[in-house]
Amino acid sequence: MPSFDTVSEANMEEVKNAVTQSNKVITNRFDLKGTSAKIELKDKEREIIVFGDSDFHLDQINIELTQTLGKRKVDVRFLDMGKVEKIGGDKVKQVIKVKNGIETEDAKKIVKAIKDSKMKVQASIQGDAVRVQGAKRDDLQAAMALLRKEIKDLPLEFNNFRD
């Protein structure tokens, strides 16, 4: 039976490259020179930590980071911006989590959207992915188009297409 998996995974290599490139730009920027502005990537926890001297610096760094991620074709909807924390003196930091996988509530939304469409496909939650099965390839392609249209708040990808 033809099927595909709906997933939401960021390309961590491109995220790593974007952080490195943003750090280079930040160190050379005139308005951020001589400050504590920098970006760190904790690869195992999938966290990006942004440091700056003020909220304004954090905003400038975040703008640079999101632009670089966009140029590298990484959807910024993967980023979960944390709260700005003071870390002594004037310095501030912000933890940005890189989302990976589809959470249970979002997976239920995807399954509900497919069931409400009355298409001849079945959707089932499998861990952090949603598997969609159908009798015909055309039905699966219609399901992909439906999900792209209906679920706008998640960066969805479709892989493991089997005929």
Side-chain angles (χ1 to χ4, degrees):
M1 183 175 252
S3 68
F4 68 87
D5 290 338
T6 305
V7 296
S8 181
E9 296 173 349
N11 184 347
M12 286 309 289
E13 284 300 315
E14 288 298 329
V15 171
K16 189 176 183 180
N17 292 339
V19 167
T20 304
Q21 186 176 357
S22 295
N23 256 332
K24 287 179 185 174
V25 170
I26 288 165
T27 55
N28 292 328
R29 254 178 78 162
F30 180 76
D31 59 340
L32 297 174
K33 235 178 199 156
T35 65
S36 64
K38 67 178 178 176
I39 305 173
E40 290 180 359
L41 177 67
K42 303 243 174 156
D43 212 15
K44 301 285 187 235
E45 294 98 38
R46 294 181 161 263
E47 288 181 343
I48 301 169
I49 304 173
V50 181
F51 295 95
D53 285 348
S54 66
D55 290 338
F56 175 73
H57 285 168
L58 280 185
D59 291 340
Q60 294 300 310
I61 296 167
N62 285 338
I63 289 169
E64 180 62 41
L65 179 64
T66 53
Q67 286 176 348
T68 307
L69 285 169
K71 289 176 188 171
R72 293 191 160 274
K73 307 276 190 277
V74 176
D75 200 326
V76 293
R77 292 179 288 178
F78 283 117
L79 302 180
D80 185 18
M81 301 292 203
K83 292 183 179 178
V84 177
E85 307 168 15
K86 293 209 179 275
I87 55 171
D90 298 338
K91 310 227 185 300
V92 289
K93 81 172 185 177
Q94 183 176 24
V95 177
I96 303 170
K97 292 193 188 303
V98 181
K99 296 180 201 171
N100 188 29
I102 299 174
E103 294 181 13
T104 310
E105 308 92 52
D106 297 327
K108 288 178 181 177
K109 269 198 278 186
I110 292 170
V111 171
K112 185 178 183 327
I114 288 176
K115 284 187 178 178
D116 289 348
S117 71
K118 306 261 194 253
M119 297 175 82
K120 294 181 179 178
V121 293
Q122 294 84 34
S124 59
I125 300 171
Q126 305 210 333
D128 58 354
V130 177
R131 174 153 299 158
V132 180
Q133 296 178 323
K136 297 180 186 168
R137 170 184 258 179
D138 292 342
D139 293 338
L140 293 179
Q141 289 173 338
M144 284 180 193
L146 173 83
L147 289 177
R148 282 190 188 106
K149 189 178 121 191
E150 294 288 321
I151 312 293
K152 295 206 184 296
D153 56 337
L154 280 177
L156 296 178
E157 297 173 7
F158 307 105
N159 62 18
N160 206 12
F161 193 93
R162 299 208 175 136
D163 205 8

